Amino acid sequence: MDWAEKYRPERLQDIVGNTAAVRQIFEWAKGWTRRSKPLLLHGKPGTGKTSSAHALARDLGWEILELNASDQRTKAVIDRVAGSSSTTASLSGASRKLILLDEADNLQGNADRGGARGIIDTIRGSRQPIILIANDLYGLPPELRSLCEPVRFRAVQARSLVPRLKFICTMEKIRCSELVLVQVAARAGGDVRAAINMLHAAATGRESLGEGDLLSSEKDDRPSIFDLITSVYRGTDDRRLMQEYYGFDEPPSNLVQWIEGSLVHLPDLPSRMKAYRCLSRADEFLGLTFRRQYFPLWRYASALLLLGAMDAAAGRGIHARITPPSRWQRMGTARKQKAIRTGLLRRLSGMTHLPEDALRDEYLTLLTLLVERNPERYADLLSLDTDELTLFLHDRTRAEGVAKARAKRESALEQQEKKGKPAGEPKPGKTAAGGQSSLF
Amino acid sequence: MFKAAIDADIFREAIDAIAALVTECRLHADQNGIRTRAVDTANVAMVSMDLKKDAFKSFSATKDELGIDIAKMKNILGMVSKGDLMNMALPEAGHKLEMAFQNYKYSITLLDVNTIRKDPNPPTIELPGKIVITGEALNSAIRAASVVSDKIALGIDPKAQKFFMVAEGDTDHIRLELGRDELVSLSPVEARSLFSLDYLKDMGKVMARAPQVEIALGIDHPVKFSFPIAEGAGRVEYLLAPRIEAE
């Protein structure tokens, strides 16, 4: 059996670390009335959130009803299970029933449709204590967050973890030096479950643990692109850096953007030049890879990129926030603009019986001048919306004003039409012919 | 090992009683018969069903635990006609239950019992107020109440020697009182608890077929309904947690 499960704390006093949080939970439970807010336990995995909730119920003799990510959690299911459970007394005669909504920040799209709404309704109508659990406080909708009293679970300090690990070793009859336990605790990064799993993995099939036995079980921390860029600027061993890069899933074509985006943080021109020279050489390899479809060439590109940039940075570190390359953001915006323009041209081409590229090459300037002179009139004639008007006017606020006025006029016109004319007659202004004849 | 033959109607009655609350359960078999106890997903209601050896035409079993998909079983039993004999067989350490009736032979894969919720402990609660009533009268009362509300109060008025049911909706109200004459028996102890009609409706449909239902009540305590099935060779018990009344 899984040690993390086997040695799950059963009482609140057995929870490792987070004493303040545990006390807060206990006080809340002791003084619970129907007006109490539900608790929201949040923090990293393996810090004792779920264990605390279960231990609390056990300590106080409460019944517990848990809904977690393995249950389907649509609004209907939450209403039926948590909703009806939170308005009834315990079946077994326990004084209270604790409704535990685990992984509350993990409601998955369609499978849990309306889940957050269901949780909010349950909280509002509940006559039993409720505890929500989330890894990320901000993964919850704000209206749900504001209904709860947050309790923060922090990463557990290595030194408070060691006694627990020692206890487990004693129970499992494994001889283990204190030093190894300290190492396990430190490597787990505050995650108790990870620490116990690590110990379990290292101890399987052994009767004693020495220092060498631990190597194979480092906590698998996925390096992020931010870590990689930090290492580039801080400087490290060449081989180490490449190793770090191979650890994750980002093609050098993306990496080149990230590094290029960060080069502005290099303090002086000569080192920037040095970095750009390597980058451009790397880019040649990227081009070659693409043309030849010969992917082993990637390794030259990534080596040039990383080692070149590291050489240029010369271990000075990076002192600004690393952000995704601004070029990507600009490309996103440009794509949106392009889509608006293409849509507009297609529509105008239909209205004027002119080919799209003729419109674009010969008439767009003319049109822009016309629209700028009298935006109201042309917005009407060409039925331009806010985005399209902005394209001509380069002034969003003005475009919005024009579009709003136009919408108002149109709805007034429609009202009039409804009153005055019988239905079925074509509306004026909507016919292409009217717009077309007066255009040029 | 499990091998039995039973009147399909009786078996359907037993399965329907469980299906009112849960979609899967652990069915325990031993040489004396079969039994199960299960709680619904919201921990609000519990069903216990006990079917003795005598209810079967033939029965032999060793101690075993069967993971039954109740919803599937209910659909299969929808196929049988009145008077059909159902033959069931499960080999030693087998995972497929053979169910045969008429010319049909189903082979049903059982659920892994470890994936089904553990049997709940039998609650030890004192419910002093006792009433015995016909199943039909009980079901009609539940249906009448569900017209105006989603909850119903059940209670005993010891002075008037009456069993009462009150349902209050947002705008409407219904009260039904039954005296000793209309009941089979009544113990005059004060009792009153509020229950969700959602659950009672499903239970009511099953109980409507029972000649006599024994109701046990307390003050803001669960209610227990128990009634015989299979002409007394089996018994079903429902336990339903009370609603907490609004302040």
Side-chain angles (χ1 to χ4, degrees), chain A residues 12 15 18-32 39-41 48-49 51-53 55-57 60 62 98 131 149 151-153:
Chain A
L12 276 178
I15 304 276
N18 280 305
T19 34
V22 169
R23 191 172 307 123
Q24 192 183 346
I25 296 172
F26 187 71
E27 299 288 329
W28 170 83
K30 275 279 169 206
W32 187 86
L39 283 191
L40 170 56
L41 316 185
K49 301 180 295 298
S51 297
S52 300
L56 175 78
L60 297 178
W62 290 2
L98 178 65
I131 290 184
E149 185 183 324
V151 180
R152 168 109 195 250
F153 274 73

Side-chain angles (χ1 to χ4, degrees), chain A residues 179-251:
Chain A
L179 196 67
V180 175
L181 295 183
V182 171
Q183 268 179 358
V184 170
R187 282 188 196 176
D191 181 340
V192 183
R193 183 170 28 221
I196 296 176
N197 284 340
M198 216 183 281
L199 185 69
H200 190 183
T204 300
R206 285 201 175 86
E207 280 175 359
S208 68
L209 268 185
E211 267 169 81
D213 304 332
L214 215 57
L215 277 176
S216 58
S217 41
E218 187 122 12
K219 185 185 175 187
D220 188 11
D221 240 343
R222 233 162 209 285
S224 72
I225 184 88
F226 301 100
D227 298 333
L228 184 70
I229 294 194
T230 314
S231 320
V232 165
Y233 280 83
R234 202 191 297 120
T236 170
D237 177 49
D238 289 3
R239 196 175 295 273
R240 265 294 266 289
L241 185 67
M242 294 313 291
Q243 215 64 48
E244 197 178 329
Y245 169 62
Y246 294 144
F248 71 66
D249 227 6
E250 193 92 35

Side-chain angles (χ1 to χ4, degrees), chain A residues 82-325:
Chain A
S84 63
S85 194
S86 65
T87 52
T88 50
S90 155
L91 194 57
S92 56
S95 61
R96 294 227 165 88
K97 193 156 51 171
L98 178 65
I99 316 288
L100 181 61
L101 298 165
D102 208 345
E103 295 159 77
D105 54 344
N106 213 352
L107 295 167
Q108 297 292 344
N110 245 349
D112 296 335
R113 187 187 291 275
R117 186 79 249 156
I119 294 178
I120 291 172
D121 289 350
T122 300
I123 290 175
R124 294 229 163 97
S126 177
R127 286 151 205 175
Q128 295 283 11
I130 298 183
I131 290 184
L132 280 80
I133 293 180
N135 286 134
D136 175 14
L137 185 58
Y138 295 94
L140 290 172
E143 62 267 42
L144 178 54
R145 217 185 314 143
S146 66
L147 283 176
C148 306
E149 185 183 324
V151 180
R152 168 109 195 250
F153 274 73
R154 290 166 198 284
V156 178
Q157 295 204 333
R159 64 184 148 77
S160 40
L161 227 166
V162 174
R164 184 80 189 158
L165 296 178
K166 205 182 281 175
F167 167 77
I168 292 174
C169 284
T170 323
M171 294 300 284
E172 295 290 333
K173 299 192 178 63
I174 285 167
R175 270 176 291 112
C176 193
S177 73
E178 177 111 11
L179 196 67
V180 175
L181 295 183
V182 171
Q183 268 179 358
V184 170
R187 282 188 196 176
D191 181 340
V192 183
R193 183 170 28 221
I196 296 176
N197 284 340
M198 216 183 281
L199 185 69
H200 190 183
T204 300
R206 285 201 175 86
E207 280 175 359
S208 68
L209 268 185
E211 267 169 81
D213 304 332
L214 215 57
L215 277 176
S216 58
S217 41
E218 187 122 12
K219 185 185 175 187
D220 188 11
D221 240 343
R222 233 162 209 285
S224 72
I225 184 88
F226 301 100
D227 298 333
L228 184 70
I229 294 194
T230 314
S231 320
V232 165
Y233 280 83
R234 202 191 297 120
T236 170
D237 177 49
D238 289 3
R239 196 175 295 273
R240 265 294 266 289
L241 185 67
M242 294 313 291
Q243 215 64 48
E244 197 178 329
Y245 169 62
Y246 294 144
F248 71 66
D249 227 6
E250 193 92 35
S253 46
N254 282 354
L255 190 63
V256 74
Q257 303 289 345
W258 279 90
I259 291 189
E260 201 259 318
S262 68
L263 286 185
V264 288
H265 300 309
L266 281 176
D268 56 313
L269 278 177
S271 55
R272 259 188 234 179
M273 204 167 82
K274 204 169 175 186
Y276 268 114
R277 193 172 296 136
C278 294
L279 242 62
S280 71
R281 186 81 185 112
D283 197 39
E284 282 175 43
F285 276 104
L286 285 179
L288 263 178
T289 316
F290 185 72
R291 264 205 308 283
R292 304 247 172 102
Q293 290 291 300
Y294 183 63
F295 287 85
L297 292 177
W298 260 5
R299 74 177 65 168
Y300 297 99
S302 45
L304 271 162
L305 267 176
L306 291 166
L307 304 180
M310 184 165 75
D311 182 40
R316 276 173 290 192
I318 188 163
H319 302 294
R321 213 157 71 92
I322 303 167
T323 50

